[in-house]
Amino acid sequence: FLILITFLLATKTLKLMLEIFGDREIALCREITKKHEEIIRGKISEVLNIIDELKGEMVIIVSGNINVI
C-alpha cells in the first residue's frame, strides 16, 4: 500500500528533507483554497531549483519509501 507524509513547513527545510528522505517524489501545494492555488510535482531536487521563486503558504506531500518490503 502507499504511504504519504504531509508537511506544513518553511521552504528552507526542503534541503534537509532531501538529506533525510533522499530524492523522493513530492507535491508542493501552494496557496491552497485561494485564487492562485498551484501544485508543483517532481523530485525534491527538482523543486529545490525553483523554491526561491515561490511565496505564500505551502504544504509538501512526500511519497513513501518504495524500497520497503
Side-chain angles (χ1 to χ4, degrees):
F1 66 91
L2 179 63
I3 297 174
L4 297 174
I5 306 167
T6 305
F7 295 91
L8 176 61
L9 54 115
T11 57
K12 297 174 185 176
T13 58
L14 199 55
K15 289 180 183 177
L16 184 58
M17 290 175 65
L18 180 59
E19 288 179 32
I20 294 170
F21 295 125
D23 204 13
R24 294 188 190 186
E25 293 286 331
I26 63 171
L28 186 143
C29 309
R30 188 176 73 85
E31 301 295 336
I32 296 175
T33 73
K34 297 184 177 140
K35 183 177 181 179
H36 302 289
E37 177 178 300
E38 179 180 20
I39 299 174
I40 300 167
R41 294 175 181 88
K43 294 201 174 282
I44 294 175
S45 61
E46 296 169 344
V47 176
L48 274 171
N49 292 327
I50 61 165
I51 197 74
D52 291 334
E53 302 168 14
L54 304 174
K55 296 183 186 214
E57 298 172 351
M58 297 179 217
V59 174
I60 299 174
I61 302 170
V62 182
S63 69
N65 187 350
I66 60 171
N67 296 322
V68 174
I69 297 175

